[in-house]
Amino acid sequence: SDGWSDHRKRKFPTNFLFGAATSAYQVEGGWNADGKGESIWDKFLHDNPDLVADGRNGDVASDSYHQWRRDVEMLRELGVDFYRFSISWSRVLPTGFENEINEAGFKYYDNLIDELLKHEIQPMVTLYHFELPQPLQELGGWTNPLSVTWFENYAKLVFRRYADKVKFWITINQPNTVCMEGYASGIMAPGLNSKDVGGYECAKNVLLAHAKAYRAYQTEFKKKYEGNVGISIAVNWFEALSNTTENNEAAERARAFEFGLYLDPIWSKKGDFPDLVKKIVDKKSTEQGFKTSRLPKLTAAEVKLIKGSADFLGMNHYTTFQVQPSQTQFEAPSVEDDRNTEYTQGPAWRAAKSPWLKSAPYGLYKACLHLNLNYDYLPIIITEHGWSSDPGLEDQDRVDNMRGYLGALLLAMEDGTEVKGYTAWSLMDNVEWIAGTSERFGLYEVDFESEQKTRTARLSALVYKHIIESREVEDAWRPSNLKIAIT
Ligand code: GBH
């Protein structure tokens, strides 16, 4: 369909895992049900209702807080091996601290996890998918070094409760988004506008929080329960717009600032933030009159703590950007000015509903090869990949996009990338942050007007089911109708 078709006849190995994903704020609703506390996303969208494209925030969302049985039924229809979902920190710890446990909140996850296991679907639990308890934000959130301990304590509590049942853990979803969009550009909660310092402070603390949680699992649970703990990082592909020195250097900066900042401390040989980022931010900071760099230092002990602190990389991959040096002057000091890049996308690439999302399957292949080449041992689970559209069940675009990327993944695996699984984002339509429900990512359509938030399988759900069954990507396969059933 898009020329990326050399994957024919290749098959996913039998032990390759297929899954589908959601996150708590985006699907659960029940924002203040049964003792749940307020999170930064509750507050952000309650305070700024006009920010949400279609006015639909996460108060009710897809109502998974009540519809979880149907969610598990959908997963059984698809035939997936695992379900990636997140735990809402404020649902289980309304104040963020572990002295006040909301048992009713935990009960919701008990039910969901037990129902999954009953049907032999592995739970893959994300501990943090963008929703800090608001009381912790008021103490500075991820810019407060104490956030490391807050998260560690929360993580330990959840590990203790579910270690016997959950074998796949993701500490943090997308530190880049958490920090650079939450604290720097401010389009995600908490909507801070600390373009110079906040994003970097956050990056350091989030990495330390992740590492502390990983080490805690290793010490207290690994021997007995043998689970795997990873972190999900947005690794889109960034390549030079054209082969000039300027553009190649800009692409290198993009990769270092967008994902190297979080990958290198965990997986590079020497640990720590990438030299390129340190060099740029340290130099600019000095020129700008700062006595210490805006990029915080990691001590030798911190470097050691973070290095090697993951059993797998959760790779969230959606699209590719073509990079050149910035054509306009950014305000400074800022992360954008430090990075000094401008992104475009191929004019011929098929466009999704989300303005940033275009289909370029070769980018996944290149990103995988880049990781393979630049890091020693890096087992990968694709923890998110997907496509946004308008409502409608005949989602041929989503199907083509999925096939293209799965084909590229097969080739990357053949060329040596160790990929253990793939996760479709998303199981169902949900609240796409400030885009509300105006961008639909679901394999299942959700009727947000209906009482039960009725879910209906799209064409892509049937195609995904077929791929999981057959282990291969057949471009011509089509179901005779859109009925899906548990097989
Ligand atoms: C993932 O982020 C998230 O983990 C998931 O929750 C989300 O639903 C999914 O992707 C789909 O977006 O407005 O152009 O400045 C992917 C990274 C971060 C990409 C926010 C879009 C806003 C871009 N996304 N970003 S823009």
Side-chain angles (χ1 to χ4, degrees):
S1 46
D2 48 22
W4 196 262
S5 52
D6 186 34
H7 58 268
R8 285 203 188 96
K9 298 280 172 287
R10 290 171 176 85
K11 282 199 171 211
F12 287 98
T14 46
N15 63 354
F16 188 88
L17 302 172
F18 285 102
T22 59
S23 88
Y25 183 78
Q26 294 179 274
V27 299
E28 283 179 3
W31 81 274
N32 62 357
D34 307 330
K36 178 181 169 296
E38 186 187 40
S39 80
I40 56 172
W41 271 96
D42 295 324
K43 173 144 178 76
F44 189 49
L45 297 191
H46 288 159
D47 287 357
N48 308 286
D50 297 341
L51 264 186
V52 193
D54 65 348
R56 257 194 217 113
N57 60 24
D59 288 2
V60 180
S62 317
D63 196 31
S64 285
Y65 189 64
H66 300 106
Q67 309 298 334
W68 53 274
R69 282 193 186 81
R70 171 67 181 131
D71 294 348
V72 176
E73 188 177 78
M74 286 140 62
L75 294 157
R76 295 170 64 205
E77 288 170 355
L78 291 171
V80 292
D81 301 297
F82 67 91
Y83 179 38
R84 178 181 174 222
F85 62 93
S86 74
I87 289 183
S88 160
W89 188 340
S90 3
R91 190 176 295 292
V92 297
L93 301 179
T95 64
F97 293 102
E98 65 288 352
N99 65 321
E100 200 184 313
I101 295 173
N102 183 29
E103 196 44 44
F106 265 125
K107 191 78 194 123
Y108 168 69
Y109 299 108
D110 292 351
N111 288 338
L112 175 59
I113 290 170
D114 289 345
E115 183 77 1
L116 289 166
L117 292 175
K118 185 170 142 196
H119 298 292
E120 293 176 341
I121 298 168
Q122 293 298 315
M124 179 186 280
V125 171
T126 308
L127 291 169
Y128 187 82
H129 199 122
F130 303 170
E131 334 164 48
L132 200 72
Q134 180 59 27
L136 301 184
Q137 192 60 51
E138 274 147 35
L139 300 173
W142 290 112
T143 62
N144 185 337
L146 291 174
S147 59
V148 177
T149 310
W150 305 334
F151 181 77
E152 184 189 3
N153 291 341
Y154 157 63
K156 279 185 182 166
L157 186 83
V158 180
F159 288 153
R160 216 166 288 139
R161 187 158 183 129
Y162 295 126
D164 58 334
K165 297 177 173 174
V166 175
K167 304 297 166 179
F168 289 101
W169 296 94
I170 290 160
T171 53
I172 308 276
N173 185 64
Q174 296 186 183
N176 189 22
T177 312
V178 172
C179 297
M180 297 310 164
E181 298 190 47
Y183 289 77
S185 81
I187 62 161
M188 307 284 273
L192 296 190
N193 204 349
S194 176
K195 293 182 185 305
D196 48 1
V197 173
Y200 294 129
E201 292 290 342
C202 169
K204 170 175 174 171
N205 292 328
V206 162
L207 280 165
L208 287 170
H210 153 79
K212 283 278 192 185
Y214 178 81
R215 303 291 174 206
Y217 188 88
Q218 292 301 299
T219 329
E220 292 178 40
F221 305 99
K222 180 77 177 180
K223 255 220 186 75
K224 181 148 184 220
Y225 299 109
E226 299 184 315
N228 292 298
V229 182
I231 180 170
S232 287
I233 299 178
V235 184
N236 288 312
W237 183 235
F238 296 84
E239 63 182 7
L241 175 62
S242 66
N243 190 16
T244 65
T245 307
E246 276 196 323
N247 290 349
N248 285 323
E249 286 175 1
E252 208 181 311
R253 286 197 301 279
R255 294 190 290 265
F257 278 86
E258 298 283 353
F259 57 76
L261 194 57
Y262 317 94
L263 267 170
D264 285 23
I266 302 175
W267 282 286
S268 73
K269 248 190 216 93
K270 62 169 195 55
D272 206 349
F273 295 127
D275 285 336
L276 182 60
V277 178
K278 288 203 283 189
K279 203 179 93 192
I280 293 172
V281 185
D282 291 358
K283 178 161 177 286
K284 286 204 181 236
S285 297
T286 306
E287 289 164 5
Q288 289 156 349
F290 291 91
K291 288 281 175 273
T292 54
S293 177
R294 289 180 287 105
L295 179 72
K297 296 265 172 298
L298 296 175
T299 65
E302 289 168 340
V303 169
K304 194 166 160 236
L305 177 80
I306 299 171
K307 201 162 119 54
S309 64
D311 299 320
F312 64 92
L313 164 66
M315 178 180 183
N316 293 357
H317 183 93
Y318 285 87
T319 195
T320 286
F321 297 97
Q322 299 178 317
V323 190
Q324 59 184 317
S326 174
Q327 303 297 294
T328 49
Q329 190 72 39
F330 287 113
E331 73 173 87
S334 72
V335 180
E336 286 117 314
D337 178 67
D338 298 338
R339 193 175 60 218
N340 179 25
T341 53
E342 185 163 311
Y343 303 152
T344 50
Q345 293 174 300
W349 301 349
R350 194 183 280 181
K353 187 77 198 267
S354 315
W356 52 274
L357 181 48
K358 309 270 186 302
S359 192
Y362 77 90
L364 175 57
Y365 177 83
K366 288 197 174 176
C368 284
L369 260 58
H370 172 88
L371 296 177
N372 208 10
L373 207 75
N374 288 278
Y375 302 90
D376 266 354
Y377 176 64
L378 188 55
I380 295 172
I381 299 176
I382 305 287
T383 43
E384 279 180 38
H385 169 256
W387 184 256
S388 57
S389 66
D390 281 316
L393 299 181
E394 284 280 349
D395 56 344
Q396 191 61 47
D397 282 15
R398 183 171 290 103
V399 166
D400 293 345
N401 184 64
M402 176 185 270
R403 282 178 171 151
Y405 276 83
L406 284 176
L409 193 61
L410 280 168
L411 293 185
M413 288 163 69
E414 183 169 288
D415 288 350
T417 316
E418 190 172 333
V419 187
K420 298 181 176 304
Y422 169 89
T423 319
W425 181 275
S426 174
L427 174 61
M428 71 192 110
D429 290 343
N430 56 54
V431 172
E432 175 57 17
W433 310 110
I434 61 170
T437 57
S438 69
E439 298 171 12
R440 306 295 185 98
F441 274 90
L443 299 173
Y444 281 75
E445 176 151 297
V446 173
D447 178 1
F448 289 100
E449 301 295 331
S450 68
E451 185 67 24
Q452 314 278 313
K453 308 294 165 215
T454 308
R455 292 114 157 90
T456 311
R458 293 199 165 108
L459 173 62
S460 57
L462 284 124
V463 170
Y464 191 39
K465 179 186 174 80
H466 182 73
I467 291 171
I468 295 170
E469 270 165 13
S470 67
R471 324 298 294 178
E472 64 188 313
V473 183
E474 299 165 66
D475 289 334
W477 186 84
R478 221 203 116 87
S480 53
N481 60 54
L482 291 189
K483 290 210 180 71
I484 193 163
I486 297 165
T487 45

